[in-house]
Each structure stands twice: as C-alpha cells, then as structure tokens.
Amino acid sequence: MMKLTKVLAAVYMLSMVSGGVIAQDETEITDQQLYRYAIMQEVITLMKKDISIEVNKIIKAQEGMTGRRYNELAATKGDEVKLQAIDAKDWEIQFLKQIDDFKSKRITSIKTVNSELAIKMVGNSGKSYKIIKDQLKSDESFKSRYDLIAASVSAAKMKTD
C-alpha cells in the first residue's frame, strides 16, 4: 500500500506541476504524454496488485477457507450447477459473493481513476489516451518508443521501492 501511495503522490505532483500538454495536432503524441501514460499504467498495475493482496488477506482470515478452495469456488463464476457439483456450502457461496462484491467495487474505482488520469494527465480530453492505446496495438515503432519511456518509469519506480 505504501508503494501505491508513493506513486499516487508522484502522479499528483506531476499533474500539478506540468499542466496540460497538447500535441501540435490532435494525432501527434509527445514523449511527455507517453511518459504520463506510462506513469498512469504503473498506478493502475499497482492498484490491481493491491486487489489481489487484499483478497488473499481476506481469504486467510476466513476460518475454514483456503486459497485452493477459493480458487475452486471462483472458477465456477457463481454458476449454481457448478457450485453444487463441487459441493459448495452456503457459507462458501456467501463468502464468494462478498469477495466478488469487494473486487467489483475496487475495479470500479480503478476504472474511475483510469478515466480521470486519461483526461487530466495525458491531456486533450482523453483523445490522446485513445490514440496512444490504438497506436500501441498497431504501430511497432510507436510501441518501441513507448517501451523505452515505460522502462524508464519502471526503473524510477524501482529506485523508490
């Protein structure tokens, strides 16, 4: 959780200091925008990892539940027939629903953060974010450019860990 706090603080400071960078035209993406996108991805990755860490803590704290049994229950995706086939107890089904609710709320929060950061950090009302995502899928030279920037962000994050 401390790592996430450090990254969020860095993101906040970056957004406060640098304001909105707009590319020369709507489709040109600057290195600064790619850098911000890479920071954004680091934040989202840490938030996703945090969900897993918290779920594991909850599983360990639940009397009678193991990671193996939870995975078996989760693999059913709530399908009643499948749950009966693995002899799921009522309390296990309730526990599975609680975990699913917890994860759903966290995922909703991540989506909100991602949307806000896409608009406020990458700039251009989120259009640049969409352009970056599309170009990362279709343009190898653009992806190579991004990978270099993302590697520098990752290296910087590792220095603070």
Side-chain angles (χ1 to χ4, degrees):
M1 194 61 160
M2 188 58 143
K3 292 177 190 175
L4 179 61
T5 304
K6 287 180 183 178
V7 172
L8 288 174
V11 167
Y12 176 75
M13 290 189 59
L14 179 66
S15 66
M16 294 300 290
V17 169
S18 53
V21 171
I22 299 175
Q24 291 174 347
D25 69 40
E26 296 224 352
T27 59
E28 182 182 336
I29 300 298
T30 65
D31 284 351
Q32 183 69 19
Q33 287 171 307
L34 284 177
Y35 179 77
R36 290 176 180 183
Y37 181 88
I39 290 173
M40 211 176 99
Q41 295 310 304
E42 282 290 330
V43 170
I44 298 303
T45 298
L46 286 172
M47 291 177 77
K48 288 177 181 177
K49 284 181 184 176
D50 189 53
I51 291 173
S52 180
I53 290 167
E54 292 301 315
V55 166
N56 285 332
K57 285 180 186 177
I58 295 169
I59 291 168
K60 285 180 183 177
Q62 176 61 48
E63 186 178 327
M65 183 59 66
T66 65
R68 177 183 234 161
R69 181 60 174 167
Y70 171 77
N71 288 336
E72 185 179 19
L73 292 165
T76 68
K77 301 202 186 295
D79 183 303
E80 295 292 328
V81 174
K82 291 178 182 177
L83 285 166
Q84 286 178 349
I86 62 169
D87 195 30
K89 310 287 186 265
D90 287 340
W91 72 270
E92 291 175 319
I93 294 169
Q94 282 302 113
F95 181 73
L96 185 63
K97 287 179 182 174
Q98 288 173 346
I99 295 291
D100 286 346
D101 287 346
F102 171 82
K103 286 174 23 178
S104 177
K105 288 176 185 173
R106 289 286 181 102
I107 289 167
T108 298
S109 295
I110 290 172
K111 288 178 181 177
T112 300
V113 167
N114 190 58
S115 178
E116 289 292 317
L117 290 176
I119 292 167
K120 293 182 177 153
M121 284 191 61
V122 181
N124 202 11
S125 302
K127 291 176 188 172
S128 296
Y129 172 83
K130 292 173 187 167
I131 291 168
I132 292 170
K133 280 189 74 155
D134 290 344
Q135 285 188 338
L136 285 173
K137 292 176 188 172
S138 63
D139 184 338
E140 280 302 313
S141 65
F142 184 83
K143 184 170 179 354
S144 295
R145 185 175 145 214
Y146 171 75
D147 287 344
L148 286 172
I149 292 169
S152 73
V153 168
S154 187
K157 181 184 94 40
M158 291 176 77
K159 287 180 183 178
T160 63
D161 287 347

